[in-house]
């Protein structure tokens, strides 16, 4: 029913005139007549407003809601990723969800057409951020930061055709780690590759391989080292065989390469990198690949992508999942200089973890094995077997909350004990504290293990200490 405050002025005037007019003899009472007038006016007003058309309630294309169960899985993945970033000494950084359009322009090559552009907002042309790398470079240049090891977890947006079965969306989360600054060769690069290995191993996704793009290695040798293209192609003949440390050693044995000064410089860099990777214990996880290529324009050196060697299977086992790379990165020494008025460069190298693809793999694996997910972290439930014990439950739950214990109770005055115990079993809550007339009288509390259904009686003043002891042992 529309609000009276929304009635047109003429309708209000007619209504007031009817209300102020003396009641006619035919009416049984003034209130009755007035109510009839109001009802008639409101009925006509409702008829003048057509009903809303039917529509489908859905999320925008390429986006999705995440259920509490999905968020639990997602947070566990992010915990592995972020804890690794912190272990390597990175500082957390955040940037706006949108940037000035000119900040993102000409940074992504052919992929620039996938940037979401926003309408003019207060005289500024804006775009949603496409990744976390360009905003980081803008931050470094704007604040004149020359050295920084940072990580960033945040959403990005890409106006592409989503492939949901491959974990590709228009809105998705990225987890980036980057090292900015002028350092001795290959040390930061080796650490980035080490981080990638640590995260993928920690997530237990199965065997994986990090592929390094020969195309970019070749470009770096020719453009930066001045190596003749035909000599670089000779190195490429070896790379077609795939490999890592042994391949580099094999190239050093070729006199056509080892006697060429420029080729030797390029090989020395590769050798140095693989020496570091060997010391870090991950050399066997890295290989050259001629077929690898990335579309982003800002990469200036070696790029790498991590792929799973065992193709995951969908829930039900119908078809294998095609998810592509699950992590990627590389060197982008010229990007910061594109924002600096004087073109001052800050060398950078970094990596990005494919959280959405990893999440999709883990989610499908859990469905295949029928794994259940706890959506809360509640440790204790406060219950009562008797009526009129809400006040005592509130006192008890407040005591546990104040002690830092994650605790729940049902929002009912007189819940049935069986209902309370069933809730604990369904939610996976490990402990129940029970208070009733007898416990209150004797100054004790019953502590029940949900799994074993065993109960012990504890003095009220010792309850918090006993719960903390049990939780520390579990």
């Amino acid at each position: 029913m529309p609000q009276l405050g929304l009635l047109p002025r003429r309708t209000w005037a007619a209504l007031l005139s009817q209300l102020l007019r003396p009641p006619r003899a035919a009416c049984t009472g003034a209130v009755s007549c007035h109510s009839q007038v109001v009802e008639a006016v409101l009925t006509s007003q409702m008829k003048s407003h057509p009903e809303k058309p039917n529509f489908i309630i859905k999320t925008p294309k390429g986006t999705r809601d995440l259920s509490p169960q999905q968020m639990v899985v997602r947070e566990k993945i992010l915990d592995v990723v972020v804890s690794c970033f912190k272990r390597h000494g990175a500082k957390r950084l955040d940037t706006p969800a949108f940037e000035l359009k000119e900040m993102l322009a000409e940074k992504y090559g052919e992929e620039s057409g996938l940037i979401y552009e926003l309408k003019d907002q207060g005289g500024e042309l804006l775009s949603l951020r496409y990744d976390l790398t360009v905003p980081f470079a803008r931050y470094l240049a704007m604040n004149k930061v020359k050295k920084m090891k940072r990580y960033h977890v945040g959403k990005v947006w890409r106006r592409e055709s989503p492939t949901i079965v491959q974990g590709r969306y228009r809105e998705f989360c990225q987890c980036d780690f980057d090292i900015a600054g002028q350092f001795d060769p290959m040390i930061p690069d080796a650490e980035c590759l080490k981080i990638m290995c640590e995260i993928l191993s920690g997530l237990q996704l199965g065997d994986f391989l990090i592929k390094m793009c020969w195309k970019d290695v070749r470009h770096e040798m020719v453009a930066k080292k001045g190596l003749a293209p035909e000599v670089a192609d000779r190195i490429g003949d070896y790379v077609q065989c795939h490999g890592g440390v042994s391949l580099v050693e094999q190239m050093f044995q070729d006199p056509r390469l080892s006697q060429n000064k420029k080729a030797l410089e390029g090989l020395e860099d590769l050798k140095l990198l693989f020496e570091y990777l060997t010391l870090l214990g991950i050399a066997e996880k890295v290989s050259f690949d001629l077929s690898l290529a990335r579309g982003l324009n800002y990469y200036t050196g070696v790029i790498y992508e991590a792929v799973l060697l065992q193709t995951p299977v969908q829930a039900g086992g119908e078809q294998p999942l095609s998810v592509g790379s699950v992590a990627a990165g590389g060197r982008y020494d010229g990007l910061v200089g594109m924002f600096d008025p004087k073109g001052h460069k800050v060398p950078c190298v970094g990596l990005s973890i494919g959280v959405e693809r990893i999440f999709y793999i883990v989610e499908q694996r859990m469905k295949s094995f029928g794994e259940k997910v706890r959506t809360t972290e509640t440790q204790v439930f406060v219950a009562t077997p008797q009526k009129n014990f809400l006040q005592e439950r509130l006192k008890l739950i407040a005591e546990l909350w104040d002690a830092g214990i994650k605790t729940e109770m049902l929002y009912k005055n007189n819940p049935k004990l069986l209902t309370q115990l069933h809730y604990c079993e369904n939610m996976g809550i490990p402990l129940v504290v029970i208070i009733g007339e007898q416990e209150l009288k004797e100054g004790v509390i019953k502590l029940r293990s949900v799994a074993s259904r065993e109960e012990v009686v504890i003095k009220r003043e010792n309850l918090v200490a006993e719960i903390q002891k049990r939780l520390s042992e579990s």
Side-chain angles (χ1 to χ4, degrees), residues 137-366:
R138 189 265 306 152
Y139 174 88
L140 294 175
M142 188 176 78
N143 294 282
K144 296 180 172 54
V145 178
K146 301 300 181 184
K147 289 184 179 181
M148 188 177 188
K149 184 187 288 187
R150 83 86 161 90
Y151 77 93
H152 190 175
V153 176
K155 286 188 175 182
V156 298
W157 294 265
R158 297 184 182 181
R159 191 167 51 87
E160 59 184 345
S161 298
T163 311
I164 309 302
V165 295
Q166 295 182 349
R168 295 178 66 91
Y169 295 87
R170 287 180 165 181
E171 177 190 70
F172 57 96
C173 178
Q174 278 195 338
C175 299
D176 283 18
F177 174 97
D178 294 87
I179 301 173
Q182 186 69 53
F183 302 102
D184 287 340
M186 297 300 173
I187 301 176
D189 306 69
E191 183 172 11
C192 285
L193 291 166
K194 173 64 174 176
I195 290 171
M196 193 178 286
C197 288
E198 286 182 10
I199 291 174
L200 295 179
S201 297
L203 292 172
Q204 299 179 349
L205 301 175
D207 288 338
F208 61 89
L209 182 67
I210 299 175
K211 299 181 177 181
M212 300 177 63
C213 179
W214 165 247
K215 176 183 176 183
D216 290 298
V217 175
R218 180 187 185 280
H219 172 76
E220 191 169 5
M221 287 183 170
V222 173
K224 294 185 177 181
K225 300 293 184 182
L227 184 65
E230 60 272 15
V231 179
D233 291 335
R234 175 59 184 162
I235 298 176
D237 292 338
Y238 285 97
V239 176
Q240 291 183 57
C241 304
H242 299 283
V245 179
S246 59
L247 181 63
V248 175
E249 292 294 343
Q250 187 179 350
M251 286 187 282
F252 266 102
Q253 301 302 318
D254 190 326
R256 288 170 292 182
L257 300 178
S258 60
Q259 294 177 8
N260 184 300
K261 183 180 178 181
K262 297 295 183 181
L264 200 58
E265 290 178 2
L267 290 176
E268 288 289 351
D269 282 346
L270 290 176
K271 182 181 179 182
L272 187 61
L273 175 60
F274 275 97
E275 283 180 359
Y276 294 154
L277 297 181
T278 301
L279 292 171
L280 295 176
I282 59 169
E284 74 284 355
K285 292 290 186 181
V286 181
S287 172
F288 288 110
D289 193 327
L290 280 172
S291 63
L292 184 61
R294 301 204 70 198
L296 299 179
N297 255 17
Y298 50 66
Y299 285 109
T300 56
V302 179
I303 66 169
Y304 34 85
E305 292 186 356
V307 295
L308 301 181
L309 298 180
Q310 298 169 331
T311 306
V313 178
Q314 294 187 49
E318 300 93 352
Q319 293 180 344
L321 297 173
S322 176
V323 293
S325 63
V326 291
R331 179 162 286 281
Y332 53 101
D333 291 345
L335 185 57
V336 177
M338 297 175 70
F339 293 104
D340 191 284
K342 297 182 179 179
H344 292 157
K345 294 183 178 181
V346 177
C348 296
V349 63
L351 63 99
S352 182
I353 303 297
V355 174
E356 304 295 346
R357 296 180 180 182
I358 292 171
F359 172 69
Y360 187 66
I361 293 169
V362 174
E363 188 178 34
Q364 292 299 311
R365 185 171 62 190
M366 292 181 69

